[in-house]
Amino acid sequence: MNSKSSFQPAGLIRVLACILYDAMLVFALLFVSTLAFLLIPEGIRDTDPYIQAGKVAWYFAICYLYFSWFWLRSGQTPGMRAWHTYLTDCEGHLVNRSASVKRFWAALLSWLLAGSGYVWMVFDRDRRSLHDRLSGTCLVVKKPETKKKP
């Protein structure tokens, strides 16, 4: 995947489509992961501040593991795979663990800024989001192969 010439930057609409696809999978995963908390008695589960903080940490951990596992393994989450989109460093290689961590937390920041980190893509000369800039990553689309007629 280090041949940069066969890739072009992903646009905002494509990125939003990837997000929608992955959001459905993450929500299903979070729904199932909530079962672990159902084992805790209801009175404690709903009132203990440590349990509440543990839930939040648990949900962030599940989300981080989902995204980082796919990003580090193949550069594509299932949503990205459906839209032929890859996460790379700016040289066209798979991201490393450090970039994965930075991108996850910077993407959260992009959402907390009312999604403006994604709107950044529209004005960026390289069509990179705010969290791509902060983490040194790029979302790219593989150009379709052109078949030569004999």
Side-chain angles (χ1 to χ4, degrees), residues 53-119:
K55 275 193 222 180
V56 172
W58 175 252
Y59 294 145
F60 276 117
I62 295 294
C63 291
Y64 171 74
L65 290 172
Y66 173 85
F67 287 105
S68 68
W69 191 79
F70 286 111
W71 290 339
L72 294 171
R73 185 168 183 249
S74 65
Q76 293 180 294
T77 61
M80 293 165 71
R81 182 166 292 150
W83 289 93
H84 308 289
T85 305
Y86 294 85
L87 178 67
T88 67
D89 65 10
C90 292
E91 299 297 318
H93 302 100
L94 286 176
V95 296
N96 59 28
R97 188 168 311 279
S98 173
S100 172
V101 171
K102 287 177 190 173
R103 188 172 203 280
F104 178 80
W105 292 109
L108 181 62
L109 175 65
S110 288
W111 281 110
L112 290 174
L113 296 172
S116 60
Y118 289 93
V119 176

Side-chain angles (χ1 to χ4, degrees), residues 115-143:
S116 60
Y118 289 93
V119 176
W120 182 292
M121 294 177 72
V122 175
F123 304 103
D124 188 87
R125 62 183 161 79
D126 298 322
R127 292 197 298 188
R128 291 170 63 194
S129 64
L130 175 61
H131 49 278
D132 284 328
R133 287 281 176 197
L134 293 174
S135 64
T137 60
C138 299
L139 279 176
V140 295
V141 178
K142 184 168 181 164
K143 293 179 185 175

